[in-house]
Amino acid sequence: MSSAMSKSKHIFYMGHMVENGILKKYLDENCATHNYKICEYKDSLPPNADRFLWDFENSPVYKMGGWKACKNEFMQLSVKHLPSLNT
């Protein structure tokens, strides 16, 4: 189980950021100067982590290609730009 969690932690970090409004705030402040794919969806982020993670039709995760396709960008956002989540 720990291997599966370490491979998908980027999704759960982002879900946490969505749930707490951190991601929306960060994207509002940074999309003008960063070319993140998720910026395209910043004004239509789901209202909670559950819908961000599991809404296969409407979540940016699936519109961007799924968990694996989002990994690099989501890890960059969660690890480099929002290091407080990793403590």
Side-chain angles (χ1 to χ4, degrees):
M1 179 72 169
S2 65
S3 175
M5 285 300 292
S6 74
K7 291 179 183 176
S8 58
K9 68 183 177 183
H10 63 287
I11 292 290
F12 293 99
Y13 282 150
M14 293 297 280
H16 176 75
M17 291 188 289
V18 166
E19 185 82 29
N20 292 297
I22 297 168
L23 182 60
K24 173 70 169 130
K25 183 178 188 308
Y26 181 82
L27 294 177
D28 283 344
E29 294 172 356
N30 291 279
C31 281
T33 58
H34 293 81
N35 192 26
Y36 299 122
K37 292 177 189 172
I38 198 165
C39 288
E40 183 177 336
Y41 308 102
K42 75 179 183 70
D43 294 322
S44 60
L45 291 172
N48 57 50
D50 186 56
R51 288 187 39 201
F52 183 79
L53 296 170
W54 309 116
D55 185 343
F56 300 112
E57 292 182 21
N58 299 307
S59 173
V61 173
Y62 303 100
K63 290 178 179 181
M64 294 171 61
W67 290 30
K68 286 184 181 180
C70 297
K71 185 172 185 171
N72 289 338
E73 180 169 305
F74 287 7
M75 286 300 294
Q76 182 182 7
L77 284 165
S78 63
V79 175
K80 288 185 179 179
H81 297 291
L82 300 167
S84 62
L85 290 175
N86 297 313
T87 58

